[in-house]
């Protein structure tokens, strides 16, 4: 059974960098069939996709966060990570890691990510406060 | 950006009722629309992908339909365990990935 687990500091100071890691177990992050993403949810609010990565290192980011986000992968540890720089109180949220498929486009014949998230971690609350 | 309008924002229904939630996109998104269930303190759970495909293991009382800009999510017979917040989510190839505002479903 695939499991994802987020880890990292629960408290980050304003202007600093938020760093989280997602450890994948019960499956390989190097699977050619999946991408791995980060989604966040401020307390009492809705969901926001942050970005995704393929095991090769290809990344896709939410344009609204792109200037502050870096997602990386470590296939040897079966982990992928999130860094969000220059955080403010607005970045306080539960951060989830999740998996989504890769499939071949019928029209182009090229592989591409499809964004439905079928496995999720339990989430980790990160609070931005001094 | 593609805007998603999900309605209603909250809904109260009785056990056994048919429940419908709608999601409207600001432009044509083909069938790139998914539905999730989220219970308090838990991660979202995928129910429907690509507008109408039931995720493996999800009860058949859940269904989805629509294409283009207008989508519908239905629970055919509400059960007590269905109390949750439901979200639609769209995506395209740019990529742009956005979630609806959510519908909080309560038992009457």
């Amino acid at each position: 059974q695939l499991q994802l687990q987020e880890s990292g500091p629960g408290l980050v100071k304003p202007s600093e960098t938020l760093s989280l890691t997602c450890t994948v177990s019960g499956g390989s992050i190097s699977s050619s069939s999946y991408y791995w993403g980060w989604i966040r949810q401020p307390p009492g609010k809705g969901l926001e996709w942050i970005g995704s990565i393929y095991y090769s290192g290809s990344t896709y980011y939410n344009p609204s966060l792109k200037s502050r986000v870096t997602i990386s992968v470590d296939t040897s540890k079966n982990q992928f990570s999130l860094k969000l720089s220059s955080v403010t109180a607005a970045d306080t949220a539960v951060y989830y890691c999740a998996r989504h498929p890769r499939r071949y486009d019928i029209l182009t014949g090229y592989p591409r990510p499809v964004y439905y998230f079928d496995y999720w971690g339990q989430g980790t609350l990160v609070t931005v406060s001094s | 950006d593609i805007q998603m309008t999900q309605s209603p924002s909250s809904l109260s229904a009785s056990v056994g009722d048919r429940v419908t939630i709608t999601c409207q996109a600001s432009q044509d998104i083909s069938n790139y629309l998914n539905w999730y269930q989220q219970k308090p303190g838990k991660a979202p759970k995928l129910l429907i992908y690509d507008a109408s495909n039931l995720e493996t293991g999800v009860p058949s009382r859940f269904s989805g339909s629509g294409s283009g800009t207008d989508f519908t999510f239905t629970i055919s017979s509400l059960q007590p365990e269905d109390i949750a917040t439901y979200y639609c989510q769209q995506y395209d190839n740019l990529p742009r990935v956005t979630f609806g505002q959510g519908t909080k479903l309560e038992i009457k």
Side-chain angles (χ1 to χ4, degrees):
Chain A
Q1 175 75 352
L2 188 76
Q3 292 187 320
L4 292 80
Q5 179 68 58
E6 305 88 351
S7 59
L11 181 64
V12 181
K13 290 182 168 57
S15 79
E16 295 189 344
T17 296
L18 177 160
S19 296
L20 295 174
T21 295
C22 182
T23 300
V24 178
S25 58
S28 175
I29 204 169
S30 300
S31 168
S32 61
S33 298
Y34 298 103
Y35 286 77
W36 308 89
W38 289 96
I39 297 125
R40 69 180 183 178
Q41 184 173 36
K45 296 188 178 180
L47 298 152
E48 180 179 37
W49 173 70
I50 300 169
S52 297
I53 192 165
Y54 191 54
Y55 79 92
S56 65
S58 298
T59 52
Y60 301 87
Y61 296 134
N62 184 327
S64 68
L65 296 169
K66 187 174 184 176
S67 63
R68 298 195 292 131
V69 174
T70 302
I71 297 176
S72 58
V73 64
D74 186 337
T75 55
S76 67
K77 295 181 179 179
N78 229 31
Q79 295 176 336
F80 63 107
S81 297
L82 168 70
K83 291 189 185 298
L84 180 66
S85 64
S86 305
V87 297
T88 69
D91 295 309
T92 293
V94 174
Y95 285 76
Y96 296 101
C97 57
R99 185 187 83 168
H100 59 104
R102 175 180 183 258
R103 67 182 179 211
Y104 284 82
D105 189 281
I106 294 174
L107 295 177
T108 67
Y110 288 102
R112 64 180 181 87
V114 288
Y115 292 90
Y116 58 84
F117 303 95
D118 59 358
Y119 278 90
W120 295 64
Q122 65 186 24
T124 187
L125 175 63
V126 179
T127 301
V128 178
S129 175
S130 56
Chain B
D1 281 2
I2 300 177
Q3 305 301 319
M4 302 301 297
T5 303
Q6 184 176 343
S7 62
S9 58
S10 64
L11 176 57
S12 181
S14 300
V15 172
D17 281 356
R18 183 180 185 88
V19 171
T20 299
I21 300 169
T22 64
C23 209
Q24 185 172 57
S26 58
Q27 62 189 72
D28 190 333
I29 57 170
S30 184
N31 67 332
Y32 299 156
L33 193 287
N34 311 309
W35 293 95
Y36 299 84
Q37 176 193 69
Q38 187 178 33
K39 297 184 177 181
K42 299 294 187 182
K45 175 185 176 183
L46 178 67
L47 301 179
I48 303 288
Y49 64 94
D50 291 347
S52 61
N53 295 288
L54 191 68
E55 174 68 349
T56 302
V58 173
S60 58
R61 64 179 180 274
F62 297 101
S63 65
S65 64
S67 67
T69 60
D70 295 301
F71 300 86
T72 300
F73 171 79
T74 300
I75 305 173
S76 61
S77 178
L78 184 66
Q79 300 302 303
E81 61 266 30
D82 299 336
I83 298 313
T85 298
Y86 292 83
Y87 292 94
C88 62
Q89 173 244 317
Q90 70 82 29
Y91 67 95
D92 65 19
N93 294 331
L94 289 182
R96 291 174 293 195
V97 181
T98 53
F99 291 83
Q101 305 94 322
T103 295
K104 187 174 183 180
L105 178 55
E106 298 175 330
I107 292 284
K108 193 180 292 182

